[in-house]
Amino acid sequence: MPHLDREHVASGGTMRWAIDSLPSTLNAFQPMADSSTERVTGATLPSLFTLDSAARPQLNTDYLEAADVTDKKPRQTVVYKLNPKAKWSSGRKVGAADFKAQWKALSGKRKSFSAARNAGYDRIKSVTKGSAPNEVKVVFRKSYSDWKSLFTPLYPTSVTAHADDFNKGARASLTNSAGPFRVKKVHEDDTSVTLVRDKRWWGDPAKLKRIVLRVVPRDERQKALASGQLDLAEIDVSTLRRIVRAHKDGGGGDAKSEAKERGEHREHGRLTKKQTREQARLDGQLRDIAVRHAFEPAYTQLALNGAEGPLADERVRRAVARAIDREAIAKHALRGTGLPVKALGSHLRMIDQDGYADNSDALGDQDVESAQSLLAEAGWKDGSTQSKPTEGADAKKADDGKKASREGAQHSSSHNRAGAAPGVAPVSAAEAARLAGQPLTLSPVTAGQRASLLEQAARVQMDKAKESGSDRKVRKARAALERATHARAGAEELRLLSDGGAKMMRTKGGKPLTLRFVLPAGPGSQSIRATGARITKALNKIGVRAQMKKVADEDYFANHIAQGDYDLALYSWPGTAYPATDARPIFAKPAAAADGSLLVEQNYTRVGTNQIDQLFDQASTELDDGARNDLIKRADARIWAAAGSVPLYQRPQLVGARDNIANAGAFGFHTPRYQDIGYER
């Protein structure tokens, strides 16, 4: 994200910033708080420490003059010296009462407060006024290394003193704030939040007069940026490519060929001249949009459920992990983003984070022979009775595919004018419906032919539906297009999985080594499913069959990952500046509950060890930075060795920004300084 000094930023203006959803609450400590909540509170409430781009906590001098550990024995003591200018919008000074009320609300002792977490606050013994004016003294019962994470954001006593105010009062409004902006209104009707410059703010005045956080779905942001309805928005790789292309050729490229290059399936099939001109106009407007990129503080991992089944054996988990080429997966995921292509080597720190170390040696790099040896050691034998397709059979299959393509091509010239896909004979809507009900063949060539037929028929159906003016027929045509899209995705997965012949399936006690691979089915999950297909192909080479199951996005995490209803899964976790605290529940060893169930916290792989827990416990009390970093590295190496999760890559953060927007874009770990965001002079 480019930085511009304040003197080069104009005063005034409104910036429209895309968010995924309206915040369900403005209380960041409630379970339903999300990234939209964080965006609002970051601009309106005190943050005692902010993060730089390497995730190092920095004293925020707008609120603090100093904050130091003044004693370590007999108890850790921290003294905060507050900026005497710091006041709530009510006019009352920020003080010890606010610290004390927040501690009490988040300590975990008051069950009437619906708090999502109490980490760190549960270790505090007392909060009092300090010996000097504007000082707050916090004494801990047990040493806490991540004390800088506390009291950010800091709420006034009007929110934290009483359970009813905490649970309900700050859900839709913040009547008392202390930041460069204040919440003017949460607009339920047009799904936006308006923040306005706070005239009572004592620090550098906000450059912008107003920030409007607008809910815009990801697939609509390209058009919203091009048409001037948005100034700042996280985007996907396809939008990035469109913006890059617009800068290269002025947005005057052929819209139809560009759509085909991106693999888009348009509802209207053919683009009319009017639609082509409109697309070109929008593309031309993308020349005013810049792409800003950084690594997101989050990573994608392969999760291996060790609760039961074959993956309960550590040797099988390690074999699965060693079969995967993480570098190749990272290359596919990060290609075209403008970021370094590198596999992530840590569960606890990100590549761009201070203290990052690659500890993946504890598991080892891709090694097919080693993976096979581990499976044999675990009792999974190489099935030697299973037949392989002959080279002749493979050649015949390829020839059949080529023949089908040639036959389709003979019909294409007479039907392309009707919207047929090149090389594919047109079929009726009834025939398309019959094809849609057929099971997918294991032949990638045939599956691709089937997908092309469905797509071509659906396009013809859409053209006729639009001509008829019937909404019902248009809806049916859209459904047909969706089926065609799914068929195309399935054919692509089969292509990736096909490697010239099945490998021997490993068996044990007559049972094959088969794993359930759960993946999201939503339209924004294509890259995740492609990664899943590559992993499945790699496992095929060591005799492991991964059966891919696609589930609805709304069910994916709650009903499968959290419930343990999977063997393999792909999902992401956020990175953190405070791994000793925040990462512990993700990797803690599950404990048995009184009813016999497992208490897994956030460890959805159900894989953990006593040694990992002990290292986290030590790191959370270690006040020396060097010693704490060493403990975190040792914990990470143990996590790698346990092979419950395999980090693949740090996610890209891509942001489209109006090219004259200053000090905003892809922030990465960096805490936004909202008062400096604005437009270049």
Side-chain angles (χ1 to χ4, degrees):
M1 180 190 71
H3 172 76
L4 200 65
D5 291 339
R6 282 180 57 85
E7 58 264 29
H8 300 300
V9 181
S11 181
T14 296
M15 189 180 74
R16 295 154 299 177
W17 195 341
I19 53 177
D20 293 322
S21 61
L22 277 182
S24 300
T25 178
L26 299 182
N27 184 341
F29 297 107
Q30 288 187 323
M32 68 283 290
D34 56 17
S35 59
S36 299
T37 307
E38 182 181 354
R39 189 69 69 215
V40 173
T41 59
T44 60
L45 291 173
S47 297
L48 302 191
F49 285 86
T50 58
L51 301 180
D52 66 11
S53 59
R56 292 173 296 224
Q58 305 293 320
L59 188 80
N60 189 344
T61 55
D62 285 326
Y63 302 100
L64 295 175
E65 292 185 346
D68 299 292
V69 176
T70 57
D71 287 299
K72 296 182 180 179
K73 294 182 179 179
R75 299 184 188 279
Q76 177 187 353
T77 301
V78 175
V79 174
Y80 299 88
K81 188 173 183 181
L82 303 178
N83 183 335
K85 296 179 181 178
K87 293 182 179 181
W88 300 105
S89 52
S90 64
R92 181 177 63 84
K93 280 192 173 185
V94 176
D98 304 299
F99 283 70
K100 186 173 183 177
Q102 185 151 314
W103 159 50
K104 293 283 188 180
L106 301 177
S107 66
K109 293 182 178 179
R110 298 184 175 183
K111 304 304 180 184
S112 57
F113 286 80
S114 299
R117 52 191 166 91
N118 57 20
Y121 294 97
D122 58 351
R123 298 195 186 189
I124 295 175
K125 182 178 184 293
S126 64
V127 176
T128 59
K129 290 182 178 180
S131 57
N134 302 313
E135 283 189 356
V136 179
K137 181 180 179 181
V138 178
V139 178
F140 291 82
R141 289 185 297 102
K142 183 180 180 181
S143 293
Y144 186 53
S145 59
D146 289 332
W147 61 272
K148 292 179 181 178
S149 68
L150 301 176
F151 305 108
T152 294
L154 179 66
Y155 283 85
T157 55
S158 58
V159 172
T160 54
H162 303 288
D164 194 56
D165 292 329
F166 184 90
N167 299 335
K168 300 177 182 178
R171 282 199 173 183
S173 64
L174 284 175
T175 57
N176 206 0
S177 58
F181 289 88
R182 62 179 177 84
V183 178
K184 182 178 182 181
K185 189 175 182 181
V186 177
H187 303 271
E188 298 284 351
D189 51 350
D190 67 350
T191 58
S192 66
V193 181
T194 299
L195 309 178
V196 294
R197 184 191 291 155
D198 193 341
K199 296 178 181 179
R200 297 186 179 184
W201 168 247
W202 58 92
D204 291 331
K207 288 293 186 177
L208 288 169
K209 182 179 181 181
R210 186 182 295 106
I211 296 175
V212 177
L213 304 173
R214 280 190 55 205
V215 176
V216 180
R218 298 266 171 160
D219 59 354
E220 296 178 15
R221 292 181 182 180
Q222 180 187 126
K223 185 175 182 180
L225 284 166
S227 61
Q229 297 174 33
L230 280 178
D231 302 303
L232 194 71
E234 286 201 27
I235 57 175
D236 56 20
V237 175
S238 65
T239 301
L240 176 148
R241 290 172 181 160
R242 170 76 71 165
I243 294 171
V244 170
R245 186 180 296 112
H247 281 276
K248 283 183 178 180
D249 61 18
D254 180 67
K256 286 191 288 187
S257 62
E258 290 172 1
K260 182 178 178 181
E261 179 184 330
R262 293 193 309 277
E264 293 180 354
H265 301 277
R266 297 181 178 273
E267 291 181 354
H268 41 63
R270 297 167 297 164
L271 289 175
T272 65
K273 290 182 179 180
K274 181 179 179 182
Q275 289 169 332
T276 302
R277 287 195 300 269
E278 175 64 13
Q279 186 65 67
R281 184 184 68 80
L282 291 174
D283 287 354
Q285 291 176 334
L286 285 173
R287 282 179 290 173
D288 296 329
I289 303 298
V291 176
R292 297 170 183 176
H293 53 244
F295 277 119
E296 184 180 345
Y299 67 97
T300 295
Q301 64 167 351
L302 172 66
L304 299 88
N305 186 353
E308 58 185 7
L311 295 179
D313 189 327
E314 181 181 295
R315 294 168 295 185
V316 179
R317 296 198 303 272
R318 290 173 67 86
V320 168
R322 286 189 182 179
I324 299 167
D325 188 342
R326 296 187 304 113
E327 291 291 343
I329 289 173
K331 179 180 179 180
H332 282 286
L334 298 172
R335 182 172 52 196
T337 63
L339 295 168
V341 175
K342 188 175 182 180
L344 181 64
S346 173
H347 300 78
L348 305 180
R349 294 194 191 277
M350 302 294 96
I351 289 174
D352 55 344
Q353 187 171 359
D354 184 50
Y356 170 78
D358 188 332
N359 300 302
S360 60
D361 285 349
L363 174 66
D365 294 330
Q366 183 191 30
D367 188 336
V368 173
E369 290 185 5
S370 172
Q372 292 171 334
S373 297
L374 283 165
L375 291 175
E377 183 183 329
W380 292 96
K381 305 302 182 183
D382 189 358
S384 58
T385 60
Q386 190 170 344
S387 62
K388 284 187 179 181
T390 63
E391 291 184 6
D394 289 338
K396 184 178 184 301
K397 181 173 68 176
D399 288 342
D400 289 345
K402 292 177 181 178
K403 181 180 178 182
S405 295
R406 287 196 300 270
E407 290 174 351
Q410 293 173 2
H411 299 277
S412 64
S413 60
S414 62
H415 292 283
N416 277 347
R417 291 188 300 273
V424 180
V427 296
S428 67
E431 177 68 4
R434 186 188 68 78
L435 285 169
Q438 298 298 314
L440 279 177
T441 172
L442 290 179
S443 165
V445 173
T446 310
Q449 287 288 321
R450 173 179 177 273
S452 295
L453 288 168
L454 289 174
E455 180 185 350
Q456 172 239 308
R459 286 177 173 174
V460 173
Q461 183 179 349
M462 177 59 77
D463 283 345
K464 291 181 178 178
K466 287 189 173 181
E467 288 175 5
S468 71
S470 168
D471 290 341
R472 183 181 63 83
K473 290 182 178 180
V474 168
R475 287 195 298 270
K476 289 181 68 175
R478 284 175 179 165
L481 278 167
E482 186 175 351
R483 287 194 297 271
T485 300
H486 285 309
R488 175 66 65 190
E492 176 63 13
E493 288 177 4
L494 284 174
R495 185 189 66 77
L496 288 168
L497 290 172
S498 175
D499 61 353
K503 299 294 183 289
M504 298 300 180
M505 181 181 291
R506 290 189 174 267
T507 60
K508 186 176 184 180
K511 295 182 178 181
L513 181 45
T514 304
L515 303 174
R516 298 166 299 156
F517 198 166
V518 178
L519 295 164
S525 305
Q526 292 92 336
S527 62
I528 287 289
R529 291 195 297 272
T531 296
R534 292 185 178 92
I535 291 172
T536 301
K537 181 177 178 180
L539 296 182
N540 186 45
K541 293 180 179 179
I542 62 170
V544 177
R545 293 293 180 268
Q547 298 176 334
M548 289 191 289
K549 178 182 179 182
K550 301 170 192 173
V551 300
D553 287 2
E554 57 269 22
D555 295 330
Y556 184 65
F557 209 90
N559 295 336
H560 291 274
I561 306 305
Q563 299 300 322
D565 184 19
Y566 73 96
D567 292 317
L568 302 174
L570 291 169
Y571 57 88
S572 296
W573 274 125
T576 173
Y578 306 102
T581 297
D582 295 340
R584 189 193 188 285
I586 300 172
F587 302 106
K589 183 179 179 180
D595 61 359
S597 62
L598 279 181
L599 297 173
V600 301
E601 297 189 65
Q602 293 173 291
N603 186 355
Y604 302 124
T605 69
R606 280 80 175 164
V607 174
T609 69
N610 293 331
Q611 293 88 348
I612 292 172
D613 290 353
Q614 290 166 6
L615 288 165
F616 271 115
D617 288 341
Q618 294 173 40
S620 70
T621 61
E622 179 55 67
L623 299 179
D624 180 81
D625 291 344
R628 182 170 65 259
N629 285 340
D630 181 62
L631 289 165
I632 289 171
K633 290 177 185 177
R634 289 167 57 192
D636 184 44
R638 293 276 187 175
I639 296 167
W640 275 105
S645 73
V646 181
L648 301 174
Y649 55 88
Q650 189 171 349
R651 291 166 54 90
Q653 187 178 66
L654 308 172
V655 175
R658 192 110 1 235
D659 57 11
N660 61 341
I661 291 284
N663 301 324
F667 294 101
F669 272 110
H670 192 276
T671 303
R673 187 171 160 83
Y674 290 89
Q675 58 266 48
D676 291 351
I677 297 174
Y679 294 90
E680 292 184 31
R681 287 185 181 276

